[in-house]
Amino acid sequence: MINNRKQKLQKCFASLEKKLLVNEAMVHVKNGHYYKAMCLYNKALNLEPNDNNALIARSKCHLLLGQPQKALEDAQNALQHKMKNANTANAMYCKAEALYHLGDYEMSLVYYYRGMRIRPEYGQFRLGVQKAKDAIQNILHKN
């Protein structure tokens, strides 16, 4: 009985610590301190490796640091887990952005459209569709 209660408390404290780390990392991202934020996201993911919010946030951070391959990996990991529509849309957007920055404009267009289907009110998906279409058109006009 005591061991069971102790384990529940440890899980509760770990969850609280993870939330605090993610919140602090968000403040660092807003202030432009991406490396500090990355360290905090990594610590949070060490506590709970499948936390979708931390994976999506770290994916965005990787994009801001110019690391689209790592951003893509985090977005794909987040999409593997069941989550709410808003988080799914955010993960789709991160994946689409990462693909776009990697030069895979066709697949980024697919993910912008998928995200737009989930959350049509998000204007970022429409902008993403347009920029992916423009990139594809530019490539076609060069050839």
Side-chain angles (χ1 to χ4, degrees):
M1 181 76 169
I2 294 174
N3 258 354
N4 192 18
R5 186 176 283 165
K6 189 175 181 179
Q7 286 176 339
K8 285 183 181 180
L9 278 173
Q10 286 175 336
K11 284 183 182 180
C12 183
F13 284 127
S15 177
L16 183 60
E17 183 181 3
K18 179 205 49 104
K19 286 179 184 177
L20 290 171
L21 288 168
V22 170
N23 288 341
E24 186 180 347
M26 286 178 176
V27 171
H28 284 300
V29 169
K30 286 179 183 176
N31 292 326
H33 304 136
Y34 306 123
Y35 289 106
K36 288 180 182 179
M38 187 66 66
C39 290
L40 293 169
Y41 287 132
N42 289 337
K43 286 180 183 179
L45 286 165
N46 283 338
L47 292 172
E48 193 177 324
N50 297 328
D51 179 27
N52 291 321
N53 292 327
L55 282 168
I56 293 166
R58 189 171 74 174
S59 177
K60 290 177 183 178
C61 202
H62 279 303
L63 278 174
L64 292 168
L65 289 170
Q67 302 167 338
Q69 186 60 46
K70 290 180 179 180
L72 179 61
E73 291 168 12
D74 280 345
Q76 287 173 327
N77 287 337
L79 286 169
Q80 289 177 355
H81 308 291
K82 195 160 184 89
M83 55 186 140
K84 297 176 187 173
N85 275 352
N87 279 351
T88 302
N90 287 333
M92 288 275 185
Y93 182 74
C94 287
K95 184 168 183 173
E97 283 290 297
L99 288 166
Y100 180 85
H101 287 285
L102 288 169
D104 192 350
Y105 306 120
E106 294 88 355
M107 283 308 294
S108 71
L109 183 60
V110 167
Y111 280 94
Y112 286 127
Y113 272 125
R114 286 181 184 175
M116 199 162 54
R117 201 173 320 128
I118 295 169
R119 299 294 295 238
E121 69 275 11
Y122 281 12
Q124 63 211 36
F125 287 118
R126 279 191 293 282
L127 291 172
V129 165
Q130 190 58 50
K131 76 178 179 181
K133 282 182 176 181
D134 289 346
I136 293 167
Q137 287 295 324
N138 287 337
I139 289 171
L140 291 175
H141 288 302
K142 286 181 183 178
N143 296 333

